[in-house]
Amino acid sequence: MNKMLFSKISGMAVGLLLSVPAFAQQAQESSLIEKGQYLAVAGDCGACHTAAGGKAFAGGFAVDTPIGRIYSTNITPSKIAGIGNYTLEDFEKAVRKGVRKDGSNLYPAMPYTSYSKINDQDMRALYAYFMQRVIPVDDKAPETSLPFPFNVRLSMAGWNLLFADAKPYVADNSKSAEWNRGAYLVQGLAHCSTCHTPRNPLMAEEKGKDLAGASLGTWFAPNITSDNQAGIGNWSEKDLTSYLTTGRSDNGSQAGGPMLEAIDKSFSKLSPDDVKAIATYIRQISPQSINPTSEVAVNPRPEISEIAIMNGSASEGARLYEAHCATCHQTSGQGGNGLPALYNNAALRRPVADNAVMAILDGLTPSSGQAMPAFNNTLDSQQVATLTNYLFKTFGDSKVQTTPERVKLLREGGSPSPLIAIAKYGMIAGGVIIILLVLGAVIFFSRRKRMK
Ligand code: HEC
Ligand code: HEC
Ligand code: HEC
């Protein structure tokens, strides 16, 4: 055989042999990246790591916490400003354990206490996505500078010892595969507990009160355990899946604020199977009776007389309602034409009035369907309080009321609630104790070394 022809043919054969596995590998890699992209959506990484109007994942989004403002970091694969130099191990340590490549601790504003549940395969997929698909951005995110003692990142090491358990999710074989998938997502990537679980004075999620309801400073994330009265035990699976995918459900609930944002950016983009799995798990969470929602239909729906409003004998609350709200929600709060009823609306049966106030101040802008305008600039704090109290009295739980002072606080955007103020002082004391503990341990071990 001609020597040249032989080498050509054998070269082609070798090329073919080489390219088949290379092609398979490439396909595998791109499906890994796609999976990572899906998981990044499930984990809502973009919500915190993208500043308003900023480039995707370039950080700079301010997370307001009771100890001060924490900026999210640039997690694009930029080698100058992002995590381009992170190995899979470095990435895993940051996401699951809250420790940076340089060994410093992250603040738990990054939900690593939830992400610790992410398994190794998913970690690899997330890493592949961030390194290979996310566009690198070379702009540095603003630095976080907290007051002492919180600027000592090492104090978080003590906090982690007390509160973080960096163990991936372990399946419960006595439950269905669907329940386990739901548990994996809820406890991990979807981090529902970050908002819905009450926190102790050191800002750690309270053990044994999983998803029993908590204030986020402005919005209140309600009890979503299976308790019939306090939680969502009487929601059907369809109520829950439709709420998680559209922000609305047939039982008359609409999502607002941070929940609406999480639905728009994350939960609505999950596969129907994953949403169903989340619902299956959530509906079996052990019931908790704290932060109760009041019962439906306390009073019969009032027939509010337009004549009373017109001849001026109506209360100031009724007048504000008629002037600003009745066009959409109707005079007797009955809603209609795709607009929700306020009579017995879930927002008016919460243990606190904050969500109704927040909805009035900021409005609601779901990505599809009708929006509610913001009244931040139209109504002052006294008017919002009067109107909110009227709503609770007339259409909801008349025991729940608010004050102009509270409205003013909420208007100032996440000013800490009294509860969080207590938590703040608790945390300063706790932070100092933790630093002392860490210092004590360092001194103890260094002495021991010297004694040897
Ligand atoms: C609730 C907000 C929030 C969400 C959601 C969130 N992060 Fe973060 N993340 C932060 C904040 C804030 C920091 C910086 C904390 C600090 O400075 O201590 C951070 C830091 C990080 C770091 C460390 C970067 C560095 O500079 O070392 C990585 C990596 C990271 N996040 C990845 C992710 C991934 C991946 C997801 C999604 C699975 C995610 N984050 C979701 C808030 C968030
Ligand atoms: C960023 C914070 C945040 C996260 C994360 C979050 N929620 Fe929420 N959730 C809220 C807030 C705030 C409300 C109240 C919304 C309102 O009143 O309009 C809420 C409301 C709800 C409700 C309605 C309850 C009722 O009684 O009307 C359900 C159900 C719910 N969330 C389920 C979940 C599930 C399941 C997850 C995780 C897959 C989750 N949430 C993650 C903040 C959050
Ligand atoms: C242009 C029509 C429109 C007007 C005017 C309007 N709303 Fe709404 N409102 C809506 C829509 C639409 C929703 C539900 C949005 C959704 O599905 O996310 C809503 C929801 C609500 C909710 C439930 C919020 C939650 O988180 O569940 C409350 C409370 C409320 N409105 C009160 C008011 C009050 C008080 C006024 C007058 C100051 C008012 N609305 C004016 C359209 C309107």
Side-chain angles (χ1 to χ4, degrees), residues 12 31 37 121 202 209 248 283-284 329 345 348 372 387 406 414 427 438:
M12 266 158 71
S31 84
Q37 180 163 21
Q121 295 100 291
L202 289 176
K209 292 200 182 147
R248 295 184 198 134
R283 294 180 70 233
Q284 291 179 36
H329 296 291
N345 190 293
L348 304 177
M372 165 161 152
L387 178 58
R406 179 73 190 154
M427 182 130 179
V438 171

Side-chain angles (χ1 to χ4, degrees), residues 92-104:
E92 183 270 327
K93 234 170 71 188
V95 176
R96 278 207 297 227
K97 304 196 180 76
V99 178
R100 270 191 180 147
K101 188 182 175 77
D102 66 7
S104 64

Side-chain angles (χ1 to χ4, degrees), residues 6-294:
F6 173 77
S7 80
K8 240 188 192 161
I9 291 174
S10 65
M12 266 158 71
V14 169
L16 255 174
L17 273 176
L18 278 179
S19 73
V20 167
F23 180 75
Q25 206 180 7
Q26 223 171 36
Q28 219 173 30
E29 191 65 21
S30 88
S31 84
L32 189 70
I33 293 171
E34 237 113 79
K35 182 176 168 198
Q37 180 163 21
Y38 178 82
L39 297 169
V41 169
D44 214 0
C45 316
C48 289
H49 282 279
T50 308
K55 297 191 180 117
F57 301 114
F61 175 86
V63 183
D64 281 314
T65 76
I67 58 169
R69 177 162 280 195
I70 296 174
Y71 289 102
S72 66
T73 48
N74 180 327
I75 55 167
T76 70
S78 157
K79 287 196 192 295
I80 310 162
I83 56 169
N85 295 314
Y86 277 47
T87 61
L88 172 63
E89 287 70 34
D90 296 334
F91 181 75
E92 183 270 327
K93 234 170 71 188
V95 176
R96 278 207 297 227
K97 304 196 180 76
V99 178
R100 270 191 180 147
K101 188 182 175 77
D102 66 7
S104 64
N105 283 91
L106 292 172
Y107 296 110
M110 158 74 184
Y112 63 85
T113 50
S114 295
Y115 296 154
S116 63
K117 294 282 178 279
I118 302 173
N119 65 33
D120 291 348
Q121 295 100 291
D122 284 357
M123 218 58 231
R124 269 196 296 278
L126 275 168
Y127 180 73
Y129 167 66
F130 276 99
M131 291 300 145
Q132 297 175 51
R133 187 65 58 83
V134 170
I135 298 163
V137 178
D138 290 339
D139 309 326
K140 283 211 161 70
E143 292 270 335
T144 297
S145 67
L146 295 182
F148 181 80
F150 308 115
N151 57 350
V152 185
R153 282 181 180 265
L154 192 60
S155 63
M156 293 324 304
W159 193 92
N160 288 343
L161 275 180
L162 291 173
F163 303 118
D165 77 302
K167 285 190 211 83
Y169 180 75
V170 181
D172 178 345
N173 292 327
S174 71
K175 306 276 196 199
S176 69
E178 188 178 58
W179 184 96
N180 274 298
R181 175 69 180 165
Y184 174 70
L185 288 169
V186 166
Q187 294 173 19
L189 278 164
H191 64 282
C192 317
S193 69
T194 306
C195 296
H196 285 277
T197 299
R199 289 172 187 263
N200 68 17
L202 289 176
M203 296 309 293
E205 290 170 18
E206 282 192 66
K207 290 247 157 30
K209 292 200 182 147
D210 208 23
L211 306 179
S215 173
L216 307 175
T218 48
W219 286 83
F220 176 79
N223 184 326
I224 54 166
T225 67
S226 63
D227 190 274
N228 273 333
Q229 166 79 71
I232 56 169
N234 51 12
W235 286 39
S236 69
E237 181 178 289
K238 189 164 158 282
D239 285 339
L240 193 50
T241 52
S242 116
Y243 184 89
L244 290 173
T245 43
T246 66
R248 295 184 198 134
S249 71
D250 290 343
N251 64 9
S253 285
Q254 310 86 44
M259 186 67 198
L260 184 58
E261 220 174 292
I263 290 169
D264 278 348
K265 291 197 179 130
S266 174
F267 309 145
S268 66
K269 303 203 164 96
L270 297 182
S271 72
D273 283 349
D274 277 349
V275 175
K276 196 158 166 284
I278 289 176
T280 299
Y281 171 73
I282 287 284
R283 294 180 70 233
Q284 291 179 36
I285 287 270
S286 50
Q288 298 275 344
S289 56
I290 61 168
N291 293 315
T293 296
S294 49

